Amino acid sequence: MRLSQFHLATVKEVPADAEIVSHQLMLRAGMIRRLAAGLYIWSPLGLRVLHKVENVVREEMNRAGAIEMLMPAIQPRELWEESGRWDKFGDQLLKLKDRKQQDFCFGPTHEEVITDFARNELKSYKQLPITFYQIQTKFRDEIRPRFGVMRAREFLMKDAYSFHLDAESLAATYAVMYEAYSRIFSRLGLAFRAVQADTGAIGGNASHEFQVLADSGEDAIVFSDGSDYAANLEKAEALPPAQGRPLPSMALEMVDTPTQRSIEEVAALLGVATSRCMKTLLLRGHAGLVALCLRGDHTLNEIKAAALDELGGEVVFASEEEVRAIAGATIGFIGPVRLPAEIPVIVDRDAAVLADFVCGANVAGRHFTGANWDRDARIARIADLRNVVEGDSSPDGHGVLHVARGIEVGHIFQLGTKYAQAMQATVLDDSGNNQVMSMGCYGIGVTRIVAAAIEQRHDAKGIVWPAAMAPWSVVICVINSRQAPEVGAAAEALYQALQARGVEVLLDDRGLRPGAMFADMELIGIPHRIVVSERGVAAGTLEYRARDAEISQTLSEEQLFALLG
RNA sequence: CGGGGUAUAGCUCAGUCUGGUAGAGCGUUGCGUUUGGGACGCAAAAGUCGGGGGUUCGAAUCCCUCUACCCCGACCA
């Protein structure tokens, strides 16, 4: 590509609302332009990168035996009524009406459509297992789109769906997809981890997320240093503590804590560690309030809490009024001691082995010291309620957990029969009986990968693309060809020679001053740069510099060809 | 949806408190000089000051209202 014939739209300044590096650099490099909240135009440059990602994904899906197809972005309401998600999906589902006032939605995902397709097309167990996939635009009306293309409302996704006669076959394909995903992210040159995940809204059994490691990531992931255990923070189990609860050694005593409402303030006032304080949270359960107790230095895991029978699926904190009415104190002075008997106290495993702890007295401005379970407060039940922290034992018993940030770029699920059952997708088995098919689903956020790659690979000058994602492999920068025609001719010859070898080459023939040219090429992250100038032409050598190198080197044409393969 | 904020030239922003002829840098156009790390000179184009309403002799500025966008919390590829 001759740059003079392309539309490169780099800018020096960047809108103040671009918060993370990838968003800023994509804007500065001119890869994307915002159209509306969560909607982005992909410029010619951006599209080249997007296509690179798409092609790697496509190649690996094909290699794994999946078959490409394409489903409509717009889907009829009836299908979503069948699965029960028309209402359940919530406001993220963009609903539309056509001219006849019939209801449709813009697909946020395609389980319904593919299951409908499968029940019509698949009649016999002999057609199974089979995996379909598409690379297609999704729309989710996110509550808060942000970080540019990282969390946009409209985005490109590769979604695959597999169909099986039984769970064993599903597990086998799941393993194949797991491998395919690992290959994809490796080929794209990304540092990533596959972690065990909560199945969330999509539902089902086993599930893994593929997380690109980046400090700006929105997800917390944990992994063991003594095994290959890795999980989303939401999912990671906090093991019961090794030691049991010591015997009480202090008497229960009420102390004044007039303005100290937070654990930190109370601990500081009383001169005790936050780990000796009891954090008591009042939640609204389906049969009245429920108290959850955690050690003061631990945080509630809302996924674990939501799964408690008493809460039934969601975590809703009690209002200030409810707290005051029941416990006689405002938030900040709540504790398990002398709580009304109708409020069950569910205690975290680590909180349950505390003795002589500090807790709210259920009286405004007062806390207890020397509180002890059984003697002073009832335990209705002990459960795993907290988020694991750095240094906890790994749930598999090997090693210690570490916490990192990640960007979720892929997610695979064993859905089981959830959708096939609801939509009656059945096949005949080998004894002629109808069997509900088992399903797997496998998503990759194609657009998000582009942003995640930049988060991981950039420097002060701009993007540093991994080879597989670069819009062009090499750029030829031509210096002052207007006054030195032999320079232009040499650059043109090299351009032709590289093209003939199948190298994706960009010729910067814009006639800019060198500084401006170099800055642009570094911003957009071209991995290899050749400078053609009067002195190089005179010497018969090429000046080469890798994007991630500090200095240039002099190469012969043969050496360059060898380098670029 | 709750809480906070922003809206002025293509972009980044000043001007708003204290009402009085619309500003800067970058970018763009033309001419000239330049050509190894975002050049320089001269000239120029470019604004319904987010929309609507009000107060006033006079509104970017004060008041009301609507809209869009952004940030902090719950969702997800």
Side-chain angles (χ1 to χ4, degrees):
Chain A
M1 175 64 69
R2 294 171 202 275
L3 200 41
S4 63
Q5 307 297 306
F6 193 71
H7 178 71
L8 188 69
T10 56
V11 288
K12 284 188 197 167
E13 284 174 308
V14 76
D17 52 36
E19 287 197 287
I20 60 171
V21 195
S22 60
H23 189 194
Q24 292 167 355
L25 288 177
M26 288 180 82
L27 251 14
R28 286 231 289 132
M31 293 176 64
I32 54 169
R33 293 277 118 103
R34 196 185 68 88
L35 213 216
L39 302 179
Y40 289 87
I41 295 167
W42 285 79
S43 74
L45 176 68
L47 219 217
R48 284 187 73 95
V49 177
L50 200 53
H51 279 160
K52 294 288 171 100
V53 176
E54 210 179 299
N55 287 337
V56 169
V57 170
R58 182 174 280 118
E59 282 175 22
E60 292 301 331
M61 291 311 290
N62 291 344
R63 183 204 298 266
I67 311 167
E68 187 167 11
M69 62 183 295
L70 185 60
M71 292 177 262
I74 306 286
Q75 308 177 14
R77 171 177 183 159
E78 290 70 39
L79 249 29
W80 285 73
E81 295 280 10
E82 270 193 76
S83 70
R85 292 207 293 181
W86 181 257
D87 296 315
K88 204 177 159 200
F89 210 90
D91 290 337
Q92 279 200 54
L93 189 62
L94 178 65
K95 295 169 179 173
L96 322 158
K97 282 184 193 296
D98 70 2
R99 67 170 80 208
K100 291 183 291 189
Q101 299 302 305
Q102 292 197 17
D103 288 311
F104 292 85
C105 64
F106 197 113
T109 176
H110 281 70
E111 280 83 11
E112 281 78 3
V113 178
I114 193 72
T115 305
D116 180 62
F117 176 76
R119 70 181 164 188
N120 293 328
E121 303 288 326
L122 304 176
K123 300 295 181 191
S124 158
Y125 74 97
K126 292 178 185 171
Q127 293 169 289
L128 303 182
I130 192 164
T131 304
F132 301 107
Y133 78 97
Q134 64 173 348
I135 295 176
Q136 210 245 18
T137 298
K138 304 282 194 259
F139 190 96
R140 294 184 190 173
D141 202 352
E142 292 282 347
I143 299 158
R144 190 146 90 83
R146 65 179 139 176
F147 300 152
V149 119
M150 188 80 85
R151 176 182 295 280
R153 293 195 292 176
E154 185 178 301
F155 57 98
L156 235 208
M157 179 171 167
K158 184 285 300 177
D159 48 326
Y161 306 89
S162 66
F163 293 89
H164 311 270
L165 191 62
D166 53 41
E168 290 68 36
S169 169
L170 169 57
T173 294
Y174 185 84
V176 169
M177 285 294 149
Y178 185 102
E179 282 311 309
Y181 272 44
S182 298
R183 286 185 58 95
I184 287 167
F185 299 118
S186 297
R187 275 185 63 182
L188 291 174
L190 300 173
F192 72 97
R193 272 183 187 270
V195 306
Q196 296 176 25
D198 183 71
T199 48
I202 295 184
N205 311 317
S207 172
H208 284 85
E209 290 169 355
F210 287 76
Q211 297 268 0
V212 165
L213 272 13
D215 291 338
S216 60
E218 294 187 87
D219 291 355
I221 59 176
V222 302
F223 53 93
S224 170
D225 60 12
S227 70
D228 58 4
Y229 176 85
N232 190 303
L233 180 68
E234 294 172 343
K235 171 88 174 177
E237 181 186 6
L239 291 179
Q243 273 102 32
R245 185 192 332 147
L247 291 171
S249 67
M250 295 168 66
L252 185 68
E253 189 181 345
M254 194 182 284
V255 296
D256 280 335
T257 52
T259 60
Q260 287 73 22
R261 311 178 107 238
S262 72
I263 296 280
E264 287 72 24
E265 289 165 347
V266 172
L269 179 78
L270 301 177
V272 300
T274 54
S275 59
R276 298 288 310 281
C277 298
M278 191 63 63
K279 179 185 291 186
T280 307
L281 305 168
L282 284 180
L283 307 194
R284 203 178 293 160
H286 46 61
L289 295 184
V290 177
L292 302 185
C293 285
L294 295 158
R295 231 170 65 184
D297 57 331
H298 287 154
T299 56
L300 179 68
N301 180 311
E302 296 199 10
I303 299 286
K304 293 174 183 176
L308 294 169
D309 292 339
E310 291 83 349
L311 293 184
E314 58 176 349
V315 171
V316 182
F317 284 89
S319 67
E320 183 94 23
E321 291 71 36
E322 285 173 300
V323 171
R324 200 175 297 128
I326 300 286
T330 65
I331 292 167
F333 303 103
I334 302 297
V337 179
R338 296 176 200 164
L339 258 190
E342 65 270 22
I343 300 179
V345 178
I346 303 174
V347 183
D348 180 66
R349 289 165 170 173
D350 285 84
V353 299
L354 276 189
D356 302 328
F357 54 82
V358 172
C359 64
N362 299 322
V363 175
R366 300 293 185 83
H367 276 75
F368 283 121
T369 59
N372 281 277
W373 294 117
D374 298 343
R375 189 191 72 185
D376 307 317
R378 297 161 290 105
I379 294 182
R381 194 145 67 84
I382 294 173
D384 174 21
L385 297 177
R386 69 176 176 95
N387 286 318
V388 296
V389 295
E390 184 90 20
D392 277 347
S393 298
S394 176
D396 66 358
H398 302 289
V400 164
L401 293 181
H402 298 280
V403 181
R405 309 289 308 173
I407 299 165
E408 184 186 356
V409 291
H411 202 157
I412 59 179
F413 298 85
Q414 293 187 28
L415 291 177
T417 57
K418 179 178 162 127
Y419 293 92
Q421 181 70 257
M423 297 180 64
Q424 281 305 297
T426 61
V427 291
L428 292 177
D429 65 16
D430 60 359
S431 28
N433 296 318
N434 269 312
Q435 287 273 357
V436 173
M437 287 184 279
S438 285
M439 286 175 64
C441 89
Y442 318 91
I444 287 183
V446 177
T447 38
R448 181 179 282 181
I449 284 176
V450 176
I454 297 172
E455 285 298 320
Q456 218 170 57
R457 309 202 22 146
H458 66 270
D459 61 18
K461 294 170 179 169
I463 301 166
V464 184
W465 289 118
M469 269 192 236
W472 290 277
S473 171
V474 55
V475 59
I476 301 169
C477 292
V478 192
I479 292 181
N480 198 15
S481 62
R482 218 152 46 119
Q483 318 235 315
E486 73 279 11
V487 171
E492 178 69 27
L494 180 61
Y495 175 61
Q496 300 286 354
L498 285 171
Q499 278 201 321
R501 287 168 179 268
V503 176
E504 286 191 296
V505 54
L506 181 65
L507 179 66
D508 193 343
D509 55 351
R510 295 175 297 173
L512 296 187
R513 299 170 69 84
M517 196 159 37
F518 297 159
D520 268 350
M521 293 307 109
E522 281 156 352
L523 211 210
I524 69 172
I526 308 300
H528 308 285
R529 182 184 82 190
I530 302 293
V531 177
V532 178
S533 66
E534 284 180 90
R535 45 186 210 227
V537 171
T541 59
L542 297 171
E543 181 183 325
Y544 167 81
R545 179 136 152 204
R547 175 63 181 83
D548 54 4
E550 290 295 318
I551 51 164
S552 302
Q553 45 186 306
T554 303
L555 296 182
S556 68
E557 203 168 78
E558 292 67 39
Q559 287 173 310
L560 176 70
F561 292 159
L563 185 83
L564 297 177

